[in-house]
Short mmCIF file of all heavy atoms in Angstrom, two decimals:
data_model
loop_
_atom_site.label_atom_id
_atom_site.label_comp_id
_atom_site.label_asym_id
_atom_site.label_seq_id
_atom_site.Cartn_x
_atom_site.Cartn_y
_atom_site.Cartn_z
N SER A 349 2.76 -4.94 -6.46
CA SER A 349 2.49 -6.19 -5.75
C SER A 349 1.07 -6.69 -5.97
O SER A 349 0.16 -5.93 -6.27
CB SER A 349 2.73 -6.02 -4.25
OG SER A 349 4.07 -5.66 -4.00
N THR A 350 0.91 -7.99 -5.77
CA THR A 350 -0.40 -8.64 -5.74
C THR A 350 -0.63 -9.08 -4.31
O THR A 350 0.29 -9.56 -3.65
CB THR A 350 -0.43 -9.84 -6.70
OG1 THR A 350 -0.23 -9.37 -8.03
CG2 THR A 350 -1.76 -10.57 -6.62
N PHE A 351 -1.85 -8.95 -3.82
CA PHE A 351 -2.14 -9.22 -2.42
C PHE A 351 -3.16 -10.34 -2.28
O PHE A 351 -3.99 -10.55 -3.16
CB PHE A 351 -2.65 -7.95 -1.74
CG PHE A 351 -1.61 -6.89 -1.67
CD1 PHE A 351 -1.40 -6.04 -2.75
CD2 PHE A 351 -0.81 -6.76 -0.56
CE1 PHE A 351 -0.42 -5.07 -2.71
CE2 PHE A 351 0.18 -5.79 -0.51
CZ PHE A 351 0.38 -4.96 -1.58
N ASN A 352 -3.11 -11.02 -1.14
CA ASN A 352 -4.10 -12.04 -0.85
C ASN A 352 -5.38 -11.39 -0.34
O ASN A 352 -6.41 -11.47 -0.95
CB ASN A 352 -3.58 -13.06 0.16
CG ASN A 352 -4.61 -14.11 0.48
OD1 ASN A 352 -5.16 -14.71 -0.42
ND2 ASN A 352 -4.90 -14.30 1.75
N MET A 353 -5.29 -10.72 0.82
CA MET A 353 -6.49 -10.16 1.42
C MET A 353 -6.20 -8.83 2.10
O MET A 353 -5.24 -8.70 2.83
CB MET A 353 -7.07 -11.11 2.46
CG MET A 353 -8.33 -10.58 3.13
SD MET A 353 -8.98 -11.66 4.43
CE MET A 353 -9.52 -13.05 3.46
N PHE A 354 -7.08 -7.85 1.83
CA PHE A 354 -7.08 -6.57 2.53
C PHE A 354 -8.32 -6.52 3.42
O PHE A 354 -9.41 -6.92 2.99
CB PHE A 354 -7.20 -5.39 1.57
CG PHE A 354 -5.96 -5.04 0.82
CD1 PHE A 354 -6.00 -4.90 -0.55
CD2 PHE A 354 -4.76 -4.83 1.47
CE1 PHE A 354 -4.88 -4.55 -1.26
CE2 PHE A 354 -3.63 -4.49 0.77
CZ PHE A 354 -3.68 -4.35 -0.60
N VAL A 355 -8.14 -5.98 4.61
CA VAL A 355 -9.28 -5.70 5.49
C VAL A 355 -9.14 -4.24 5.92
O VAL A 355 -8.13 -3.85 6.50
CB VAL A 355 -9.30 -6.62 6.73
CG1 VAL A 355 -10.43 -6.22 7.66
CG2 VAL A 355 -9.42 -8.07 6.31
N ASP A 356 -10.15 -3.45 5.59
CA ASP A 356 -10.16 -2.04 5.98
C ASP A 356 -10.95 -1.93 7.29
O ASP A 356 -12.16 -2.09 7.30
CB ASP A 356 -10.81 -1.20 4.89
CG ASP A 356 -10.90 0.28 5.25
OD1 ASP A 356 -10.54 0.66 6.39
OD2 ASP A 356 -11.36 1.06 4.39
N SER A 357 -10.24 -1.68 8.38
CA SER A 357 -10.86 -1.51 9.70
C SER A 357 -10.68 -0.10 10.21
O SER A 357 -10.71 0.15 11.41
CB SER A 357 -10.25 -2.51 10.69
OG SER A 357 -10.52 -3.82 10.30
N ASN A 358 -10.46 0.84 9.32
CA ASN A 358 -10.25 2.24 9.68
C ASN A 358 -11.58 2.97 9.61
O ASN A 358 -12.17 3.11 8.55
CB ASN A 358 -9.24 2.88 8.73
CG ASN A 358 -8.92 4.31 9.08
OD1 ASN A 358 -9.79 5.07 9.43
ND2 ASN A 358 -7.67 4.67 8.95
N ALA A 359 -12.07 3.43 10.75
CA ALA A 359 -13.35 4.12 10.79
C ALA A 359 -13.19 5.64 10.93
O ALA A 359 -14.15 6.34 11.22
CB ALA A 359 -14.21 3.58 11.93
N SER A 360 -11.98 6.16 10.71
CA SER A 360 -11.79 7.61 10.80
C SER A 360 -12.41 8.29 9.59
O SER A 360 -12.64 7.67 8.55
CB SER A 360 -10.29 7.95 10.88
OG SER A 360 -9.69 7.80 9.61
N SER A 361 -12.65 9.58 9.68
CA SER A 361 -13.24 10.31 8.56
C SER A 361 -12.31 10.34 7.35
O SER A 361 -12.75 10.47 6.23
CB SER A 361 -13.61 11.74 8.98
OG SER A 361 -12.44 12.43 9.40
N GLY A 362 -10.99 10.20 7.58
CA GLY A 362 -10.02 10.18 6.49
C GLY A 362 -9.92 8.84 5.81
O GLY A 362 -9.45 8.73 4.68
N GLY A 363 -10.35 7.77 6.50
CA GLY A 363 -10.36 6.43 5.93
C GLY A 363 -9.02 5.97 5.40
O GLY A 363 -7.96 6.42 5.81
N VAL A 364 -9.09 5.03 4.45
CA VAL A 364 -7.89 4.51 3.78
C VAL A 364 -7.93 4.99 2.34
O VAL A 364 -8.95 4.89 1.67
CB VAL A 364 -7.85 2.97 3.81
CG1 VAL A 364 -6.67 2.44 3.00
CG2 VAL A 364 -7.77 2.46 5.24
N THR A 365 -6.80 5.53 1.87
CA THR A 365 -6.68 5.96 0.48
C THR A 365 -5.72 5.03 -0.24
O THR A 365 -4.56 4.89 0.16
CB THR A 365 -6.15 7.41 0.40
OG1 THR A 365 -7.08 8.27 1.07
CG2 THR A 365 -6.01 7.85 -1.05
N PHE A 366 -6.23 4.37 -1.28
CA PHE A 366 -5.41 3.52 -2.13
C PHE A 366 -4.89 4.40 -3.26
O PHE A 366 -5.62 4.73 -4.19
CB PHE A 366 -6.23 2.34 -2.65
CG PHE A 366 -6.72 1.43 -1.55
CD1 PHE A 366 -8.02 1.52 -1.07
CD2 PHE A 366 -5.86 0.51 -0.98
CE1 PHE A 366 -8.46 0.69 -0.06
CE2 PHE A 366 -6.30 -0.32 0.04
CZ PHE A 366 -7.60 -0.24 0.50
N THR A 367 -3.62 4.83 -3.15
CA THR A 367 -3.07 5.82 -4.08
C THR A 367 -2.49 5.20 -5.34
O THR A 367 -2.02 5.93 -6.22
CB THR A 367 -1.98 6.66 -3.39
OG1 THR A 367 -0.92 5.81 -2.98
CG2 THR A 367 -2.54 7.43 -2.20
N SER A 368 -2.52 3.87 -5.45
CA SER A 368 -2.04 3.21 -6.66
C SER A 368 -2.91 1.99 -6.93
O SER A 368 -3.54 1.45 -6.03
CB SER A 368 -0.58 2.78 -6.50
OG SER A 368 -0.44 1.89 -5.40
N SER A 369 -2.95 1.57 -8.19
CA SER A 369 -3.69 0.37 -8.56
C SER A 369 -3.17 -0.81 -7.77
O SER A 369 -2.01 -0.82 -7.35
CB SER A 369 -3.52 0.09 -10.05
OG SER A 369 -4.08 1.12 -10.82
N PHE A 370 -4.00 -1.82 -7.58
CA PHE A 370 -3.54 -3.07 -6.98
C PHE A 370 -4.40 -4.23 -7.46
O PHE A 370 -5.49 -4.04 -8.00
CB PHE A 370 -3.52 -3.01 -5.45
CG PHE A 370 -4.87 -2.90 -4.79
CD1 PHE A 370 -5.73 -3.99 -4.68
CD2 PHE A 370 -5.29 -1.70 -4.24
CE1 PHE A 370 -6.96 -3.89 -4.07
CE2 PHE A 370 -6.53 -1.58 -3.63
CZ PHE A 370 -7.36 -2.68 -3.54
N THR A 371 -3.89 -5.44 -7.25
CA THR A 371 -4.62 -6.67 -7.51
C THR A 371 -4.68 -7.42 -6.20
O THR A 371 -3.66 -7.59 -5.52
CB THR A 371 -3.90 -7.53 -8.58
OG1 THR A 371 -3.85 -6.79 -9.80
CG2 THR A 371 -4.62 -8.85 -8.80
N ALA A 372 -5.88 -7.87 -5.82
CA ALA A 372 -6.04 -8.59 -4.56
C ALA A 372 -7.08 -9.70 -4.72
O ALA A 372 -8.05 -9.55 -5.47
CB ALA A 372 -6.47 -7.65 -3.44
N ASN A 373 -6.84 -10.79 -4.03
CA ASN A 373 -7.82 -11.87 -4.01
C ASN A 373 -9.07 -11.43 -3.27
O ASN A 373 -10.18 -11.82 -3.62
CB ASN A 373 -7.20 -13.11 -3.34
CG ASN A 373 -8.16 -14.28 -3.34
OD1 ASN A 373 -8.74 -14.60 -4.36
ND2 ASN A 373 -8.33 -14.88 -2.18
N SER A 374 -8.92 -10.59 -2.24
CA SER A 374 -10.06 -10.22 -1.42
C SER A 374 -9.89 -8.83 -0.82
O SER A 374 -8.80 -8.46 -0.40
CB SER A 374 -10.21 -11.25 -0.29
OG SER A 374 -11.26 -10.91 0.57
N LEU A 375 -10.99 -8.07 -0.78
CA LEU A 375 -11.05 -6.81 -0.06
C LEU A 375 -12.32 -6.84 0.77
O LEU A 375 -13.41 -7.06 0.24
CB LEU A 375 -11.07 -5.60 -0.99
CG LEU A 375 -11.35 -4.24 -0.32
CD1 LEU A 375 -10.24 -3.87 0.66
CD2 LEU A 375 -11.52 -3.15 -1.37
N THR A 376 -12.17 -6.65 2.08
CA THR A 376 -13.31 -6.64 3.00
C THR A 376 -13.35 -5.32 3.74
O THR A 376 -12.35 -4.90 4.31
CB THR A 376 -13.21 -7.80 4.02
OG1 THR A 376 -13.19 -9.03 3.32
CG2 THR A 376 -14.37 -7.76 5.00
#
Side-chain angles (χ1 to χ4, degrees):
S349 299
T350 297
F351 294 84
N352 179 52
M353 180 183 292
F354 284 129
V355 176
D356 178 356
S357 296
N358 183 319
S360 75
S361 60
V364 175
T365 300
F366 297 100
T367 61
S368 60
S369 296
F370 67 75
T371 298
N373 182 48
S374 178
L375 171 64
T376 300

